[in-house]
Amino acid sequence: MTNLTKILLAASVAVTAPAAAQVNGVAVADPQGAIAGTRAWATARTQIQTTYKPQLDQADARSKAIQAELQPLVTQFQAAQRAPGATNATLQPQYAAIQAKQQAGQAEIARITAPAERAQAYVIEQIQAKLGEAVQNVVRTRNVSLLVNPQAVLFLQPNADVTPAVTAELDRLIPTVSTAVPAGWQPGQQQAARAATPAPAPARPTGR
């Protein structure tokens, strides 16, 4: 799945560790790795690859065909670059033709794989919906006072990485997900709905 990294990077924004009451230590957690390591994701990915195999195979074949079509154009362009008197003006038409063909090919492949990519995004969003809760549970049970992303760390003791614990908690909270995308679903709808839900009003103090 070509957009996995992009989707998981978006999911990582959801990880916000709450401040613990006690300062007992610092830990790191990789949200991308936590989601990618879940059983729900592994199962769903296999289902998607099976369900959309014809489209994925077609996309792979078209990608190879497009590369084969582009190669002679690239070879001609490289030869033109080496020719005496070559200038940007004389090379521009060939370069533009290569770029246009490449972009058209990418758009075609994106259309072919769109159903599979959409199903994948739906799966990731379902797991992501439980990511914040999983992180909070791990932070609470392990008495973590500060949780940071591994990319922000220069040195890390192996036992400070709680990513496997977050994955295990996700496995508990959401053992399975659906790969059937509901009609009208758009990426980000679940996050938007949660953001729009007003927080419960604080209880009013009772008078004596």
Side-chain angles (χ1 to χ4, degrees), residues 92-140:
Q92 180 59 31
Q94 285 180 273
Y95 177 78
I98 293 172
Q99 191 174 44
K101 189 172 187 63
Q102 187 176 45
Q103 292 174 347
Q106 291 172 343
E108 179 186 358
I109 293 170
R111 287 192 297 270
I112 296 171
T113 60
E117 297 286 357
R118 182 174 170 81
Q120 178 177 275
Y122 181 56
V123 165
I124 293 295
E125 189 164 301
Q126 291 173 79
I127 303 174
Q128 180 186 344
K130 293 293 184 180
L131 185 58
E133 182 180 354
V135 169
Q136 291 180 27
N137 291 345
V138 170
V139 165
R140 184 177 60 254

Side-chain angles (χ1 to χ4, degrees), residues 66-81 90-107:
I66 291 167
Q67 289 300 319
E69 294 168 6
L70 282 170
Q71 188 55 52
L73 299 179
V74 172
T75 301
Q76 292 173 12
F77 177 73
Q78 291 172 339
Q81 281 182 309
T90 60
L91 295 171
Q92 180 59 31
Q94 285 180 273
Y95 177 78
I98 293 172
Q99 191 174 44
K101 189 172 187 63
Q102 187 176 45
Q103 292 174 347
Q106 291 172 343

Side-chain angles (χ1 to χ4, degrees), residues 7-168:
I7 296 171
L8 290 179
L9 281 172
S12 69
V13 177
V15 179
T16 305
Q22 298 178 0
V23 179
N24 290 309
V26 177
V28 301
D30 178 7
Q32 301 175 46
I35 292 177
T38 60
R39 291 193 296 269
W41 164 246
T43 301
R45 184 181 183 187
T46 299
Q47 292 174 349
I48 290 171
Q49 289 174 338
T50 301
T51 301
Y52 298 98
K53 187 176 188 303
Q55 292 94 325
L56 296 174
D57 287 347
Q58 180 187 0
D60 183 61
R62 281 300 298 143
S63 179
K64 292 176 180 176
I66 291 167
Q67 289 300 319
E69 294 168 6
L70 282 170
Q71 188 55 52
L73 299 179
V74 172
T75 301
Q76 292 173 12
F77 177 73
Q78 291 172 339
Q81 281 182 309
R82 295 190 295 268
T87 65
N88 288 338
T90 60
L91 295 171
Q92 180 59 31
Q94 285 180 273
Y95 177 78
I98 293 172
Q99 191 174 44
K101 189 172 187 63
Q102 187 176 45
Q103 292 174 347
Q106 291 172 343
E108 179 186 358
I109 293 170
R111 287 192 297 270
I112 296 171
T113 60
E117 297 286 357
R118 182 174 170 81
Q120 178 177 275
Y122 181 56
V123 165
I124 293 295
E125 189 164 301
Q126 291 173 79
I127 303 174
Q128 180 186 344
K130 293 293 184 180
L131 185 58
E133 182 180 354
V135 169
Q136 291 180 27
N137 291 345
V138 170
V139 165
R140 184 177 60 254
T141 57
R142 299 198 172 211
N143 294 321
V144 174
S145 61
L146 178 64
L147 185 64
V148 296
N149 194 293
Q151 283 74 23
V153 177
L154 294 177
F155 174 76
L156 172 67
Q157 291 284 1
N159 59 359
D161 187 356
V162 297
T163 302
V166 176
T167 295

